Amino acid sequence: MAANGNGAATARKQKGLLPSITTSDKHHDVCHDMSAPTVKAQTIDELHSLQKKKSAPTTPIKGIQGAFAALSEEERSKQQLQSISASLASLTRETGPKVVRGYPASKSQTSPRVHQQHVAEPAISASDSSLKFTHVLYNLSPAELYEQAIHYEKGSFITSTGALATLSGAKTGRAPRDKRVVKDDVTREELWWGKGSPNIEMDEHTFMVNRERAVDYLNSLDKVFVNDQFLNWDPENRIKVRIVSARAYHSLFMHNMCIRPTPEELEDFGTPDFTIYNAGQFPCNRYTHYMTSSTSIDLNLARREMVILGTQYAGEMKKGLFSVMHYLMPKRQILSLHSGCNMGKDGDVALFFGLSGTGKTTLSTDPNRYLIGDDEHCWTETGVSNIEGGCYAKCIDLSREKEPDIWNAIKFGTVLENVVFEEHTRVVDYADKSVTENTRASYPIEYIPNAKIPCVGPHPKNVILLACDAFGVLPPVSKLNLAQTMYHFISGYTALVAGTEEGVKEPKATFSACFGAAFIMMHPTKYAAMLAEKMQKHGATGWLVNTGWSGGSYGSGSRIKLAYTRKIIDAIHSGSLLKAEYKKTEVFGLEIPTEVEGVPSEILDPVNTWSNKLGYEDTLMKLAGLFRNNFEIFTDHKIGKDNELTEEILAAGPNF
């Protein structure tokens, strides 16, 4: 009988027919499909449980060092939850909320890993919120965050290349006028206040009101996302940060932008050095003192905390932490810098400073050099280090031809902010500004092929200040002495082209101290003095490179060819430009080379390119006047109590 059955099965297989369904001898009333192996599960739920295997044991702890070392997994988890609960504690309760790891829909909510401190609480703490659990989604992977975003956050989609497209709500950019810093006895003396400063004051009480509002909002949710990560690739000076947020989009963004800890580092994380409470979906109370809108981004340096209310734009977290580093690092005699940074194959490091539109990203991302970072760095006693673990690139008009590295980095794990895509194919249209012109991509730095991991390097050899001079009077390249480097670093100049709707052709000068005035905390001269000291100590050379116009201002002249600028940058990297002959320009007193390989010599001195010499002189004097007027806010400043801005720096500016 069996032989006949096997023969029939063989015959059916030869004819290409489906395998037959046979009846078990033992259970004649049950029909089984014997054509394939069966799974080891009795129910659908059991089958689903087999789909996800438990994470492998975490990296073994060596020795007994660290806050969580030499503990059982259960004890380590308990301490971790206690730390998160303490972060979420509000003013009206002596203890933090009851927190449990896992998803709200999971059966794990009855897990014994619930943290609830048994401390006698005052009567004021009795509330509905004290009776509920807050589920903590801790350091989720990109795949898990994708699932959360797609399922729960409207406006989240997977694009054709695998990136997560999201919306940041009503705010599609930073809100600098809504940023506040607590002014206390310490920060009153240490920070830059007053005219020209980005620091707008608030008092401690108002901060605590906003903090309470943010924490109570987060505690009212069924779940919060918690990221424990690092800032600064220099292991001796890295900062532990904790980000508590309500959106998977924000958690994935910070997963990309901060440095991602290893399992061993996470076990040993302990108490964070700085905490962000991102309750951006909930507005601040506009009737609260110091508030001018429903948005508020508040920094309290004494408490090492930041509160975000009324804006879901993720860039507030990135730049808020950058501001914190601009405060913490100089106190350690470490210079924090808003710059790009790359390194040659021989170990020569270059820093690139420049405002939007100057070509900082394009010129610092060089296929022939290693990328240390694109935006935020520290210069320590041992060299340079990237502050971040990712890149935050502009996407407007992005193309594979212009920016191949950024284009290829937009894949699974990347966050795409406020982009527009085709409804069915999910192909992104980077030229579409329907939502905003400030479309962005956030991705881990290792998505760039020539990124240097770890993101550290030796002391810089060249410091390059980029300016897009639309007035057309600055030379394509100038060698700067230390005083000139400080002057132009403090000035932070570029020029924006005015709109042409009514035929307006006049360029507009823009000055941003230290090429990042919105983020610095101390007076610009503090950072400039540190820069000059480090450049002098390590033999770095300063350069001013104009990527703007030549032969006339915008509208009459033409923009300097990118190919020429690249040749200039190559000559700086190779050291050949140091060997060139130089002559000094009028008014600005800049040293310009008479020859650069691959660049027409006649464009090196801008006066040669202007047919209207009188027009050149008038425009030159106009720009010099703008520099002088801008610098007036710095001339009377004192660093600390008795260090005035030196006459040497003032003399390095335009000479009338």
Side-chain angles (χ1 to χ4, degrees), residues 291-525:
M291 300 299 103
T292 54
S293 75
S294 60
T295 298
S296 192
I297 303 99
D298 308 327
L299 277 175
N300 189 325
L301 296 172
R303 290 183 60 90
R304 305 289 179 94
E305 291 178 339
M306 176 180 176
V307 169
I308 298 176
L309 291 164
T311 174
Q312 297 179 63
Y313 181 67
E316 295 288 9
M317 295 182 288
K318 165 188 160 63
K319 291 304 186 184
L321 288 176
F322 190 31
S323 294
V324 171
M325 295 295 280
H326 269 312
Y327 174 74
L328 295 178
M329 293 298 102
K331 291 173 73 70
R332 301 184 184 185
Q333 301 307 308
I334 295 171
L335 178 59
S336 49
L337 300 165
H338 187 211
S339 70
C341 183
N342 66 23
M343 185 180 79
K345 292 178 172 58
D346 295 329
D348 58 298
V349 169
L351 294 173
F352 292 81
F353 295 89
L355 302 178
S356 179
T358 60
K360 180 182 72 170
T361 301
T362 300
L363 295 171
S364 62
T365 306
D366 187 329
N368 298 314
R369 295 173 65 85
Y370 299 111
L371 179 68
I372 293 176
D374 74 331
D375 196 43
E376 304 175 9
H377 294 87
C378 286
W379 190 346
T380 70
E381 286 301 311
T382 58
V384 291
S385 58
N386 190 350
I387 290 175
E388 301 180 295
C391 302
Y392 194 34
K394 288 184 177 180
C395 289
I396 194 67
D397 295 326
L398 179 68
S399 68
R400 189 195 300 269
E401 294 72 30
K402 290 180 182 178
E403 303 284 357
D405 286 342
I406 296 175
W407 179 276
N408 293 327
I410 299 176
K411 55 187 178 181
F412 181 82
T414 297
V415 175
L416 278 176
E417 282 182 329
N418 301 313
V419 298
V420 176
F421 49 83
E422 205 283 326
E423 182 179 9
H424 298 293
T425 63
R426 300 291 199 264
V427 173
V428 177
D429 182 356
Y430 292 108
D432 196 314
K433 307 173 186 177
S434 299
V435 179
T436 178
E437 189 170 338
N438 188 34
T439 52
R440 295 271 184 165
S442 164
Y443 49 85
I445 193 167
E446 56 265 30
Y447 282 16
I448 299 297
N450 61 332
K452 184 182 181 300
I453 308 295
C455 303
V456 295
H459 295 289
K461 182 179 178 182
N462 293 293
V463 174
I464 301 169
L465 312 182
L466 300 170
C468 177
D469 177 31
F471 291 92
V473 294
L474 291 182
V477 60
S478 313
K479 185 174 68 172
L480 305 176
N481 59 36
L482 277 177
Q484 288 176 320
T485 303
M486 293 174 73
Y487 181 90
H488 287 280
F489 178 70
I490 293 171
S491 297
Y493 163 73
T494 194
L496 304 178
V497 177
T500 57
E501 290 182 5
E502 298 178 1
V504 178
K505 301 289 185 181
E506 183 71 15
K508 180 182 178 182
T510 299
F511 297 92
S512 182
C514 306
F515 293 93
F519 321 120
I520 61 177
M521 302 295 285
M522 301 175 184
H523 195 273
T525 53

Side-chain angles (χ1 to χ4, degrees), residues 101-137:
R101 289 186 67 164
Y103 302 102
S106 170
K107 294 178 181 179
S108 65
Q109 62 188 11
T110 57
S111 165
R113 297 167 90 176
V114 172
H115 165 61
Q116 180 180 4
Q117 292 183 347
H118 297 286
V119 179
E121 298 182 359
I124 193 173
S125 70
S127 65
D128 288 346
S129 61
S130 67
L131 303 177
K132 66 179 285 292
F133 289 110
T134 299
H135 291 260
V136 174
L137 306 187

Side-chain angles (χ1 to χ4, degrees), residues 1-7:
M1 192 75 177
N4 291 340
N6 289 339

Side-chain angles (χ1 to χ4, degrees), residues 184-205:
D184 54 29
D185 292 341
V186 176
T187 57
R188 179 178 286 106
E189 298 298 323
E190 292 182 336
L191 301 192
W192 178 26
W193 304 100
K195 185 178 180 181
S197 169
N199 303 317
I200 305 173
E201 71 175 271
M202 74 186 310
D203 59 28
E204 173 82 12
H205 173 76

Side-chain angles (χ1 to χ4, degrees), residues 65-98:
Q65 53 190 342
F68 294 155
L71 296 174
S72 67
E73 183 179 352
E74 184 177 350
E75 283 297 314
R76 188 178 299 114
S77 177
K78 181 180 178 182
Q79 287 196 17
Q80 197 174 64
L81 289 172
Q82 285 175 342
S83 175
I84 294 170
S85 178
S87 293
L88 286 167
S90 80
L91 294 177
T92 57
R93 293 183 292 277
E94 288 187 359
T95 62
K98 302 171 185 176

